[in-house]
Amino acid sequence: MSLHSDQGIVLRGYPFGEADRIVVLISPNQGKVRAVAKGVRRTKSRFGGRLEPLTHVDMMLYQGRNLATVTQVAVIEPFPHLRLDLDAVVTAGAMAAAVDKVVVEGEPSHRLFLLLLRGLHALEDGAGGMDLMASFLLKMMDALGQAPALRHCASCGRRGVEVLDRFSLAGGGLFCDVCDMGGAFRLRNGLTAYLSWLAAAPLSGFTGSDGEMAVDAVGLARRFVEYHIESGLAGLAYGSVSGG
Ligand SMILES: [Zn+2]
């Protein structure tokens, strides 16, 4: 049992007992953290709204035998503009839900934490759109060490946008026109180059493209994530890629 300080981003919370709430956070040092915020559901809670989802906080935690308890909270970044924009809130919620699915309790998760922080900052600064979400999901797989092959054939390593026209979820990315991977589906013209651009471009640069290419990209990224984490992504109200 010990008292320690940590920072985190609140992913979600749920009621606990009569007036308490369990807060689920991602911390760079401890991965997923579940902690009790005592009395947080009372009108005069000393925590106020500081433990709302999508808030970047600094906190003191008391580690008990089973659960940690939040003893102090200071807000580092409340993301106020993001909260006023329904599209941004939906995208931020989908990002947090995706991270919630993959972050592991007790395992350091610096890259995932930074990715979510960058995603929230991008939304706060007015970035958005399906291409932002697609880029986020591709980067999330990279942070987990499971990035899809997007610049070379996942089987033979051949490069070149013009020969990489098929994608396989099980095979881990793009396949060339020579390698035969069962279950690979053909991508629409230009999607190969678009995907590798999405994986590399900074999240802050997306200005909200919801065109057909972005719809296909986010559908494919979503299916890739769901296939590899063996779970559905909640809160991601986007369609799936066609023809697969
Ligand atoms: Zn090949």
Side-chain angles (χ1 to χ4, degrees):
M1 307 211 211
S2 66
L3 195 65
H4 64 275
S5 73
D6 202 352
Q7 60 166 309
I9 300 168
V10 181
L11 301 174
R12 63 189 160 93
Y14 51 93
F16 184 68
E18 275 193 14
D20 305 342
R21 184 178 293 275
I22 301 274
V23 185
V24 181
L25 308 103
I26 177 172
S27 137
N29 303 309
Q30 301 180 78
K32 183 179 287 191
V33 172
R34 285 172 207 273
V36 186
K38 292 214 158 115
V40 77
R41 283 155 63 209
R42 294 204 172 96
T43 331
K44 285 189 174 173
S45 162
R46 63 204 163 102
F47 295 126
R50 281 174 282 168
L51 287 170
E52 287 299 306
L54 312 174
T55 309
H56 181 196
V57 295
D58 211 351
M59 59 200 166
M60 290 295 288
L61 293 171
Y62 177 77
Q63 184 60 53
R65 237 193 311 266
N66 298 312
L67 275 168
T69 303
V70 183
T71 61
Q72 285 178 51
V73 194
V75 172
I76 299 173
E77 174 58 64
F79 301 107
H81 296 113
L82 182 165
R83 290 170 204 281
L84 298 174
D85 178 340
L86 182 60
D87 287 342
V89 169
V90 169
T91 305
M95 287 177 176
V99 165
D100 191 15
K101 286 271 185 189
V102 298
V103 65
V104 179
E105 241 161 281
E107 274 185 24
S109 55
H110 295 264
R111 291 186 68 195
L112 263 183
F113 173 83
L114 275 179
L115 175 66
L116 181 58
L117 194 58
R118 286 194 190 111
L120 296 179
H121 275 290
L123 290 165
E124 176 71 6
D125 295 340
M130 287 195 184
D131 49 1
L132 171 66
M133 194 63 210
S135 178
F136 181 88
L137 292 176
L138 293 172
K139 288 177 167 75
M140 187 178 87
M141 294 311 280
D142 189 26
L144 296 171
Q146 298 184 61
L150 294 177
R151 292 181 181 278
H152 57 84
C153 171
S155 172
C156 71
R158 238 169 119 209
R159 286 171 182 272
V161 172
E162 58 299 333
V163 298
L164 299 167
D165 63 349
R166 279 171 295 163
F167 192 94
S168 163
L169 300 173
L174 293 170
F175 275 76
C176 74
D177 52 5
V178 175
C179 293
D180 187 26
M181 176 73 200
F185 46 87
R186 199 165 285 278
L187 300 181
R188 73 159 71 222
N189 240 346
L191 190 54
T192 295
Y194 188 64
L195 285 170
S196 65
W197 174 75
L198 284 175
L203 293 175
S204 56
F206 293 102
T207 51
S209 166
D210 291 337
E212 282 184 346
M213 203 74 94
V215 173
D216 272 8
V218 79
L220 190 141
R222 176 194 182 152
R223 284 176 60 187
F224 187 77
V225 174
E226 289 178 335
Y227 183 90
H228 288 276
I229 70 172
E230 296 177 349
S231 173
L233 290 177
L236 195 60
Y238 299 130
S240 61
V241 71
S242 56

